[in-house]
């Protein structure tokens, strides 16, 4: 098992911006999807928050995940979170807020590159 310290997951700027990006996705996605159906919005919220709580790549966090998945699968989950944060605000919020959210998501993508490379190797 890989040590958590091996992952570049907890660099201050990247992890803080990643959390902000996730928070935007968690907020904007159900907000945008509630117009479709409240059950769809609730399901999206459960997937965006619940799935990363249950699954993870060993060594990526300071604790072992309940269900271990390969790094490539975790990267797909991360990409889903970033996509939600970049796209959903355009359907839920004013344009200025969507621009800010998309810019934050794009910056998160840039800062997360060391972690993403690490995930692809594990």
């Amino acid at each position: 098992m890989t040590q958590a310290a091996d992952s570049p997951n907890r660099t201050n700027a990247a992890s803080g911006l990643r959390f902000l990006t996730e928070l935007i996705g968690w907020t904007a996605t159900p907000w945008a999807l509630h117009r479709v159906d409240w059950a769809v919005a609730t399901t999206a919220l459960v997937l965006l928050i619940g799935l990363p709580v249950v699954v993870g790549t060993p060594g990526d966090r300071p604790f072992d995940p309940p269900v271990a998945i390969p790094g490539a699968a975790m990267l797909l989950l991360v990409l889903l979170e970033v996509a939600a944060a970049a796209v959903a605000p355009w359907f839920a919020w004013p344009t200025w807020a969507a621009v800010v959210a998309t810019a934050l998501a794009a910056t998160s993508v840039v800062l997360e590159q060391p972690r993403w490379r690490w995930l692809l190797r594990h």
Side-chain angles (χ1 to χ4, degrees), residues 65-108:
V67 178
I69 61 172
M74 188 65 200
L75 182 55
L76 289 175
L77 185 56
V78 169
L79 289 172
L80 175 68
E81 297 262 355
V82 171
V87 174
W90 290 97
F91 296 95
W93 296 346
T95 302
W96 68 267
V99 168
V100 171
T102 302
L104 287 172
T107 305
S108 177

Side-chain angles (χ1 to χ4, degrees), residues 27-104:
T27 306
T29 301
W31 195 337
L33 290 176
H34 88 279
R35 295 178 184 128
V36 175
D37 184 38
W38 70 268
V40 173
T42 303
T43 301
L45 185 60
V46 168
L47 287 175
L48 287 173
I49 294 175
L51 203 53
V53 169
V54 175
V55 301
T57 301
D60 189 38
R61 299 184 225 171
F63 55 88
D64 285 334
V67 178
I69 61 172
M74 188 65 200
L75 182 55
L76 289 175
L77 185 56
V78 169
L79 289 172
L80 175 68
E81 297 262 355
V82 171
V87 174
W90 290 97
F91 296 95
W93 296 346
T95 302
W96 68 267
V99 168
V100 171
T102 302
L104 287 172

